[in-house]
mmCIF file of all heavy atoms in Angstrom:
data_model
loop_
_atom_site.group_PDB
_atom_site.id
_atom_site.type_symbol
_atom_site.label_atom_id
_atom_site.label_comp_id
_atom_site.label_asym_id
_atom_site.label_seq_id
_atom_site.Cartn_x
_atom_site.Cartn_y
_atom_site.Cartn_z
ATOM 1 N N LEU A 250 -13.750 -8.845 38.776
ATOM 2 C CA LEU A 250 -13.047 -7.642 38.308
ATOM 3 C C LEU A 250 -11.651 -7.997 37.813
ATOM 4 O O LEU A 250 -11.209 -7.504 36.773
ATOM 5 C CB LEU A 250 -12.979 -6.605 39.430
ATOM 6 C CG LEU A 250 -14.338 -6.000 39.820
ATOM 7 C CD1 LEU A 250 -14.209 -5.124 41.060
ATOM 8 C CD2 LEU A 250 -14.936 -5.188 38.672
ATOM 9 N N GLU A 251 -10.966 -8.862 38.563
ATOM 10 C CA GLU A 251 -9.606 -9.229 38.150
ATOM 11 C C GLU A 251 -9.605 -10.146 36.933
ATOM 12 O O GLU A 251 -8.809 -9.980 36.016
ATOM 13 C CB GLU A 251 -8.859 -9.900 39.309
ATOM 14 C CG GLU A 251 -8.229 -8.872 40.237
ATOM 15 C CD GLU A 251 -8.126 -9.370 41.675
ATOM 16 O OE1 GLU A 251 -7.853 -10.578 41.872
ATOM 17 O OE2 GLU A 251 -8.345 -8.553 42.596
ATOM 18 N N GLY A 252 -10.518 -11.105 36.915
ATOM 19 C CA GLY A 252 -10.499 -12.108 35.863
ATOM 20 C C GLY A 252 -11.130 -11.680 34.559
ATOM 21 O O GLY A 252 -10.776 -12.182 33.493
ATOM 22 N N ARG A 253 -12.089 -10.754 34.633
ATOM 23 C CA ARG A 253 -12.935 -10.532 33.461
ATOM 24 C C ARG A 253 -13.013 -9.086 32.974
ATOM 25 O O ARG A 253 -13.679 -8.817 31.976
ATOM 26 C CB ARG A 253 -14.366 -10.990 33.782
ATOM 27 C CG ARG A 253 -14.513 -12.476 34.026
ATOM 28 C CD ARG A 253 -14.182 -13.252 32.761
ATOM 29 N NE ARG A 253 -14.755 -14.593 32.782
ATOM 30 C CZ ARG A 253 -14.798 -15.374 31.702
ATOM 31 N NH1 ARG A 253 -14.306 -14.955 30.560
ATOM 32 N NH2 ARG A 253 -15.331 -16.576 31.772
ATOM 33 N N THR A 254 -12.415 -8.156 33.697
ATOM 34 C CA THR A 254 -12.571 -6.750 33.304
ATOM 35 C C THR A 254 -11.210 -6.083 33.154
ATOM 36 O O THR A 254 -10.196 -6.600 33.619
ATOM 37 C CB THR A 254 -13.383 -5.948 34.354
ATOM 38 O OG1 THR A 254 -12.585 -5.786 35.531
ATOM 39 C CG2 THR A 254 -14.684 -6.657 34.717
ATOM 40 N N SER A 255 -11.212 -4.933 32.506
ATOM 41 C CA SER A 255 -9.996 -4.119 32.454
ATOM 42 C C SER A 255 -10.346 -2.718 32.934
ATOM 43 O O SER A 255 -11.521 -2.328 32.965
ATOM 44 C CB SER A 255 -9.452 -4.082 31.033
ATOM 45 O OG SER A 255 -10.394 -3.492 30.172
ATOM 46 N N ALA A 256 -9.313 -1.963 33.300
ATOM 47 C CA ALA A 256 -9.444 -0.551 33.685
ATOM 48 C C ALA A 256 -10.367 -0.342 34.879
ATOM 49 O O ALA A 256 -11.167 0.594 34.907
ATOM 50 C CB ALA A 256 -9.901 0.298 32.492
ATOM 51 N N TYR A 257 -10.266 -1.194 35.873
ATOM 52 C CA TYR A 257 -11.064 -0.978 37.092
ATOM 53 C C TYR A 257 -10.499 0.170 37.915
ATOM 54 O O TYR A 257 -11.265 0.898 38.566
ATOM 55 C CB TYR A 257 -11.110 -2.263 37.927
ATOM 56 C CG TYR A 257 -11.796 -2.073 39.271
ATOM 57 C CD1 TYR A 257 -13.058 -1.467 39.345
ATOM 58 C CD2 TYR A 257 -11.183 -2.476 40.460
ATOM 59 C CE1 TYR A 257 -13.689 -1.270 40.567
ATOM 60 C CE2 TYR A 257 -11.816 -2.293 41.689
ATOM 61 C CZ TYR A 257 -13.058 -1.678 41.739
ATOM 62 O OH TYR A 257 -13.674 -1.478 42.936
ATOM 63 N N GLU A 258 -9.180 0.357 37.905
ATOM 64 C CA GLU A 258 -8.564 1.295 38.840
ATOM 65 C C GLU A 258 -9.152 2.720 38.775
ATOM 66 O O GLU A 258 -9.537 3.264 39.806
ATOM 67 C CB GLU A 258 -7.037 1.284 38.649
ATOM 68 C CG GLU A 258 -6.257 2.037 39.723
ATOM 69 C CD GLU A 258 -6.687 1.757 41.180
ATOM 70 O OE1 GLU A 258 -7.154 0.631 41.479
ATOM 71 O OE2 GLU A 258 -6.589 2.682 42.003
ATOM 72 N N PRO A 259 -9.271 3.338 37.575
ATOM 73 C CA PRO A 259 -9.857 4.685 37.558
ATOM 74 C C PRO A 259 -11.302 4.703 38.067
ATOM 75 O O PRO A 259 -11.757 5.705 38.639
ATOM 76 C CB PRO A 259 -9.798 5.098 36.083
ATOM 77 C CG PRO A 259 -9.366 3.899 35.317
ATOM 78 C CD PRO A 259 -8.766 2.926 36.262
ATOM 79 N N VAL A 260 -11.989 3.600 37.885
ATOM 80 C CA VAL A 260 -13.375 3.515 38.346
ATOM 81 C C VAL A 260 -13.391 3.424 39.878
ATOM 82 O O VAL A 260 -14.145 4.121 40.567
ATOM 83 C CB VAL A 260 -14.065 2.283 37.694
ATOM 84 C CG1 VAL A 260 -15.432 2.028 38.303
ATOM 85 C CG2 VAL A 260 -14.169 2.489 36.189
ATOM 86 N N ARG A 261 -12.529 2.578 40.392
ATOM 87 C CA ARG A 261 -12.437 2.431 41.853
ATOM 88 C C ARG A 261 -12.119 3.784 42.490
ATOM 89 O O ARG A 261 -12.769 4.195 43.451
ATOM 90 C CB ARG A 261 -11.357 1.411 42.208
ATOM 91 C CG ARG A 261 -11.368 0.970 43.680
ATOM 92 C CD ARG A 261 -10.045 0.360 44.112
ATOM 93 N NE ARG A 261 -8.932 1.288 43.968
ATOM 94 C CZ ARG A 261 -8.674 2.315 44.775
ATOM 95 N NH1 ARG A 261 -9.449 2.542 45.833
ATOM 96 N NH2 ARG A 261 -7.649 3.096 44.527
ATOM 97 N N GLU A 262 -11.134 4.457 41.906
ATOM 98 C CA GLU A 262 -10.740 5.770 42.436
ATOM 99 C C GLU A 262 -11.921 6.740 42.442
ATOM 100 O O GLU A 262 -12.142 7.447 43.414
ATOM 101 C CB GLU A 262 -9.653 6.373 41.543
ATOM 102 C CG GLU A 262 -8.264 6.299 42.114
ATOM 103 C CD GLU A 262 -7.243 6.773 41.081
ATOM 104 O OE1 GLU A 262 -7.471 7.835 40.431
ATOM 105 O OE2 GLU A 262 -6.243 6.055 40.897
ATOM 106 N N ALA A 263 -12.645 6.749 41.339
ATOM 107 C CA ALA A 263 -13.758 7.697 41.222
ATOM 108 C C ALA A 263 -14.797 7.445 42.312
ATOM 109 O O ALA A 263 -15.305 8.394 42.934
ATOM 110 C CB ALA A 263 -14.394 7.587 39.840
ATOM 111 N N PHE A 264 -15.108 6.185 42.575
ATOM 112 C CA PHE A 264 -16.180 5.907 43.541
ATOM 113 C C PHE A 264 -15.678 5.873 44.978
ATOM 114 O O PHE A 264 -16.458 6.088 45.911
ATOM 115 C CB PHE A 264 -16.949 4.650 43.135
ATOM 116 C CG PHE A 264 -17.681 4.868 41.849
ATOM 117 C CD1 PHE A 264 -17.202 4.349 40.651
ATOM 118 C CD2 PHE A 264 -18.802 5.684 41.814
ATOM 119 C CE1 PHE A 264 -17.834 4.613 39.455
ATOM 120 C CE2 PHE A 264 -19.452 5.957 40.616
ATOM 121 C CZ PHE A 264 -18.959 5.421 39.431
#
Side-chain angles (χ1 to χ4, degrees):
L250 292 172
E251 276 151 37
R253 295 296 201 168
T254 71
S255 62
Y257 174 51
E258 190 46 30
V260 171
R261 192 200 60 75
E262 256 173 46
F264 294 103

